[in-house]
Amino acid sequence: MERKLGSALISVFYKDGLEPIVKKLHELGVTIYSTGGTQTFIEQAGVPCTSVESVTGYPSILGGRVKTLHPKVFGGILARRDFEDDRKHVEEYDIPLFDLVIVDLYPFEETVKSTTEEKAIIEKIDIGGVSLIRAAAKNHNDVCIVASRNQYSSLLGLLNAQAGITTLEDRRKYAMEAFVECAHYDVAIADYFTQQQSVGAFQLSVQGQNSLRYGENPHQQASFFGNIAEIFDKLNGKELSYNNLVDVDAAINLMAEFDEPTFAVIKHTNVCGIAQRDNVVDSWEAALAGDPESAFGGILITNQTINIDVAEKISELFFEVLIAPAFNADALDLLCKKKNRILLQQKQPFTAKREFKRILDGALVQDADTSNYAEWKESGARNSTDAEKADMIFANLVCKHLKSNAIALIKNKQLVGKGAGQTSRIDALRHAIEKSKQFGFSLNGSVLASDAFFPFDDCAKMAHEVGVTAIIQPGGSVRDGDTIEYCKNNGIALVLTGTRHFKH
């Protein structure tokens, strides 16, 4: 069903991109109604405009809080053209019909990001805008609704191509997008009010759909919703895949734990190499040495600038993604010679505050694991040395980012062995020891971190046999005493943190 545009109601916060639309509407003979700053903008563009106040007989009141909330405005939007009773009311009450409504919403999310002043935030909760959008979208059989400046380009294209005529398909598409816009806006407001107190509902709305080549596997369709450009500048390479994005998220959450020069390699969200040194080159070489086999095709990340020296060394390895806060020009030129290498310059730190996943017919939601340890309880044969303590702090953070059951073996702030995703803790330790042997590391003087308590003293015994001198773990087992006794009898430093770091 086609409708010819005869009149338009326009009231927007964002006016960039609006001028060519109002000029085209005027060219097509469309009568424009507006109010406030939008009316001034339209008139300054040389386009005649009828004020909403002249229709309603009421001025904008309450500091602009009430402008368009009036039966003559909503009657003109909601009137059904094919209903005789509606036509009678329109005529009886002298209601102008609106065929096009262009209304956006106050920038609530932007305001929340820019200030903590509640008064300013509350004033950016739109009332009239949401009401106008919902009304026009409901009556899309007759009315076309444009609810975002992101739709200005498509609207202008439609006006040029169809000379002011809209089809039901056009109007239904705009209505669908309008309801999505309102839903997202309402979720943002609800999220602001429920930050301190839960109301028994989980709501999430993320805009910005990016279609991916495929999902976790080629037969799965997938999309990413979000604005990755807020976190990264993509300097080179192919489009990020589903698996790339999952690993990139794991990488930046890991690197957010460290301030000193650190390099890490991520594979299937697990840390397979990480080291902390005085400079980026040494950090890279030590991280790679931890498991050069698993590093192939991995995600690389550092908190240091990529210079030409480290770029030359990195280029010897095939990798999917490299993330860094900065790249020197000569290093970037070298790395960009491989067109598919994905290079991401991280513009700002990122740590998740909340985590959620689909489970059964609902969702699990939890606070992100942002802690390291709740206490530092020396419980072994002796207090840990300064060197052991530094390594244990590092080890505990690394272990936190391994899939459970997890064990990390660290020596001189270098991951020299890890076991992740094992079905028993002793198996995780066996795997960690085997990896260290595979790449020629001596574990004498190393430290061990475990993401959860030891149910028995078998891990302490096995660690001691290969040269581990200090252990950090949460504690909390009914048999903690067995592990404590073994450590005390064998000269091992043991720290109980009171904080578990399960990761499933």
Side-chain angles (χ1 to χ4, degrees):
M1 184 189 307
E2 293 185 345
R3 296 287 192 217
K4 174 73 174 178
L5 298 180
S7 60
L9 173 63
I10 305 176
S11 180
V12 296
F13 185 89
Y14 294 107
K15 300 168 182 65
D16 44 311
L18 183 63
E19 184 173 338
I21 291 174
V22 297
K23 287 183 174 180
K24 184 64 181 179
L25 289 172
H26 179 56
E27 179 186 317
L28 292 169
V30 176
T31 301
I32 297 175
Y33 295 82
S34 189
T35 185
T38 306
Q39 180 183 350
T40 301
F41 175 86
I42 294 170
E43 291 172 341
Q44 288 178 345
V47 176
C49 183
T50 301
S51 70
V52 170
E53 289 84 353
S54 69
V55 174
T56 65
Y58 279 87
S60 172
I61 62 173
L62 306 180
R65 280 190 165 197
V66 179
K67 291 179 285 190
T68 55
L69 294 169
H70 192 279
K72 279 198 170 183
V73 174
F74 282 87
I77 296 171
L78 287 166
R80 292 159 290 189
R81 279 38 168 189
D82 298 333
F83 277 51
E84 185 178 350
D85 285 349
D86 285 11
R87 290 198 301 268
K88 287 180 179 178
H89 284 141
V90 165
E91 184 176 352
E92 179 182 354
Y93 295 108
D94 192 25
I95 297 173
L97 295 177
F98 301 115
D99 306 306
L100 172 66
V101 176
I102 304 176
V103 174
D104 62 7
L105 299 171
Y106 289 162
F108 180 82
E109 288 179 283
E110 292 84 347
T111 305
V112 170
K113 290 178 181 178
S114 64
T115 183
T116 57
E117 184 188 350
E118 184 158 274
K119 182 179 178 181
I121 292 170
I122 296 300
E123 285 305 310
K124 287 299 183 287
I125 297 176
D126 207 317
I127 304 300
V130 173
S131 302
L132 291 167
I133 291 170
R134 289 179 64 87
K138 177 177 179 175
N139 199 27
H140 66 271
N141 190 65
D142 299 305
V143 179
C144 184
I145 173 63
V146 174
S148 168
R149 58 178 169 172
N150 296 329
Q151 299 169 312
Y152 287 177
S153 177
S154 69
L155 174 63
L156 185 59
L158 184 149
L159 295 174
N160 286 324
Q162 298 174 199
I165 294 174
T166 66
T167 67
L168 180 59
E169 183 181 3
D170 295 330
R171 297 191 298 275
R172 185 174 178 83
K173 177 178 178 292
Y174 280 112
M176 173 190 70
E177 293 173 348
F179 282 124
V180 170
E181 190 76 17
C182 288
H184 177 80
Y185 193 77
D186 285 341
V187 168
I189 295 169
D191 189 56
Y192 170 75
F193 280 98
T194 58
Q195 284 178 2
Q196 319 282 286
Q197 183 178 355
S198 173
V199 292
F202 171 62
Q203 297 173 312
L204 179 70
S205 178
V206 182
Q207 293 182 315
Q209 180 178 6
N210 301 274
S211 295
L212 304 175
R213 296 193 302 276
Y214 52 81
E216 204 161 6
N217 300 292
H219 63 277
Q220 295 172 272
Q221 293 185 350
S223 295
F224 169 71
F225 291 85
N227 185 8
I228 199 169
E230 288 186 354
I231 304 172
F232 301 109
D233 284 328
K234 185 166 172 284
L235 306 180
N236 188 67
K238 60 187 178 181
E239 292 303 312
L240 286 157
S241 70
Y242 180 101
N243 292 329
N244 288 155
L245 287 164
V246 173
D247 283 340
V248 165
D249 178 72
I252 63 173
N253 277 285
L254 167 70
M255 195 52 61
E257 305 277 13
F258 305 106
D259 297 319
E260 298 301 316
T262 306
F263 222 119
V265 183
I266 305 296
K267 198 74 171 287
H268 298 294
T269 74
N270 282 305
V271 192
C272 62
I274 186 169
Q276 203 168 79
R277 295 291 183 265
D278 291 334
N279 59 75
V280 67
V281 173
D282 290 347
S283 295
W284 161 248
E285 290 183 332
L288 178 63
D291 190 347
E293 187 174 73
S294 296
F296 183 85
I299 307 295
L300 316 182
I301 185 167
T302 182
N303 54 10
Q304 300 296 297
T305 298
I306 298 294
N307 59 35
I308 187 62
D309 294 332
V310 75
E312 288 174 344
K313 293 180 181 295
I314 291 172
S315 291
E316 298 171 3
L317 176 76
F318 168 72
F319 62 89
E320 288 276 341
V321 182
L322 171 59
I323 307 165
F327 293 78
N328 287 344
D330 51 356
L332 189 59
D333 288 342
L334 173 62
L335 292 167
C336 286
K337 288 181 179 179
K338 295 284 182 71
K339 66 177 183 178
N340 285 333
R341 280 178 176 162
I342 301 171
L343 305 178
L344 300 177
Q345 183 167 323
Q346 188 171 350
K347 296 190 285 190
Q348 57 185 3
F350 175 85
T351 50
K353 295 179 181 178
R354 188 172 58 163
E355 296 174 342
F356 41 87
K357 65 171 67 176
R358 183 211 59 79
I359 191 77
L360 302 176
D361 64 345
L364 287 173
V365 184
Q366 65 175 358
D367 295 336
D369 184 2
T370 57
S371 64
N372 188 356
Y373 50 86
E375 60 180 351
W376 189 273
K377 188 177 179 181
E378 298 275 2
S379 304
R382 54 182 175 79
N383 286 347
S384 53
T385 66
D386 289 345
E388 287 171 334
K389 183 173 183 178
D391 269 357
M392 282 193 285
I393 292 171
F394 186 79
N396 207 47
L397 291 172
V398 172
C399 194
K400 170 180 159 182
H401 291 269
L402 292 170
K403 292 286 188 181
S404 301
N405 289 303
I407 294 289
L409 297 172
I410 298 290
K411 189 174 182 179
N412 300 324
K413 293 188 178 178
Q414 177 188 22
L415 182 63
V416 294
K418 80 283 180 192
Q422 300 302 305
T423 52
S424 71
R425 196 151 305 282
I426 193 70
D427 276 347
L429 178 54
R430 286 192 187 102
H431 187 71
I433 293 169
E434 286 305 311
K435 294 298 283 187
S436 69
K437 289 179 179 178
Q438 181 182 353
F439 301 112
F441 289 104
S442 167
L443 292 178
N444 288 324
S446 64
V447 307
L448 177 154
S450 173
D451 64 328
F453 64 64
F454 292 153
F456 309 103
D457 62 3
D458 51 357
C459 285
K461 290 177 180 177
M462 185 178 290
H464 179 236
E465 288 169 1
V466 295
V468 170
T469 60
I471 296 171
I472 183 169
Q473 54 121 331
S477 168
V478 294
R479 299 187 63 172
D480 273 352
D482 294 350
T483 298
I484 292 171
E485 182 180 1
Y486 183 86
C487 290
K488 285 184 174 180
N489 291 339
N490 290 275
I492 302 171
L494 173 65
V495 172
L496 303 181
T497 67
T499 302
R500 190 179 71 185
H501 291 297
F502 269 169
K503 186 179 181 187
H504 290 96

